[in-house]
Amino acid sequence: MTPPAPLASAVKDLACAQKTTFATTQAVWRFFNNERISFSQLNEPIISLALWAGCRSTLTEGLSESLTHIDALTADIARVESLDTGKKLVHLIDREGDSIGHMHTLSSQGICWLIRGKEGHRAEWGGDTRKIGEIADDLPFIANGQVGWKGKKVNMEIGETSVIITRTAKAKRKDKNTGRRVKVQPGVALTLRLVVVRLTDTHGKFIGRWTLLTNVSNEITSAEVARWYYWCWGIESFFKLLKGAGHDVEKWLQRSAGALLRRLLIASMACVLVWWLQRAEGDDNAAARQFDV
């Protein structure tokens, strides 16, 4: 049960008082399989800090029915929309969300979204049907300042146009009555904004680009749409921290979903605590930051 990576210290600290490998294994197993502590209780410190930072959580004890990944995401979006936030929500989704059927579903419900489109998918533009990547190649771009990228500054350029998507929807879910896959749904025209973001280094060398599809109104500038997606990469940094830059989640040895979730919550709390210390003011917190480093 001892984690193989030296950086994954939390479990080692838990079991440091144990004198044998067997005792260590028992201590860690009890800790991650303690049914007297609910997931909500473990999540309370994170929720408290999130509320302090102005965030919301939709975690509940209940489990949703078995759904495809994108169907589950759509159901979660509907739950978030039901919250009384007092603000207009825009849901940011990576390339997995480039599903025309789900785009139609969300749009028909008045839900705003921003999805990173797949460059191989097709759309109508200028009277022709072309791949999203080909459309992006022909757009004019305007410089939009610099952003941080992997520890250095890069230039951001933005281009925008309007496209129409008419491809058929091929659902992956199965009909509950027949057990067969849901039939292909005919394509219905959906007009969207295509915002293309191109990143280059200080020497003009191409780094990458994002082809963003959104149904938000033109009151929101393309620059703001681009920044929205850019800030999503902070989430990717958190995933990297969990996987290999600190917590080594892929080497954890918990076998049950409950034990794994408990450890994820504890690891997340450690990340949130460090984040809080980084931003907290005062001499005591400054000393804590030095100790943490």
Side-chain angles (χ1 to χ4, degrees), residues 87 106 276:
K87 297 181 181 295
L106 295 175
W276 183 80

Side-chain angles (χ1 to χ4, degrees), residues 46 51 66 71 73 105 121 127 130 135-136 156 159 166 188-189 214 222 260 285 287:
I46 302 176
L51 291 173
S66 179
D71 283 344
L73 176 61
T105 298
H121 283 175
R130 305 176 62 184
I135 298 173
M156 176 183 283
T166 58
V188 179
T214 183
S222 56
L260 185 62
N285 291 313

Side-chain angles (χ1 to χ4, degrees), residues 175-232:
D175 187 285
K176 293 181 179 179
N177 298 321
T178 65
R180 296 181 179 180
R181 191 166 175 172
V182 175
K183 293 183 179 180
V184 172
Q185 303 170 10
V188 179
L190 184 62
T191 302
L192 302 171
R193 294 172 64 185
L194 172 63
V195 178
V196 181
V197 183
R198 186 168 62 189
L199 303 176
T200 60
D201 64 15
T202 54
H203 302 291
K205 182 180 178 181
F206 177 79
I207 295 177
R209 73 180 178 190
W210 309 321
T211 49
L212 309 177
L213 296 168
T214 183
N215 65 347
V216 299
S217 70
N218 289 321
E219 295 178 358
I220 306 299
T221 66
S222 56
E224 188 167 0
V225 169
R227 295 280 172 169
W228 286 350
Y229 189 79
Y230 166 73
W231 286 113
C232 272

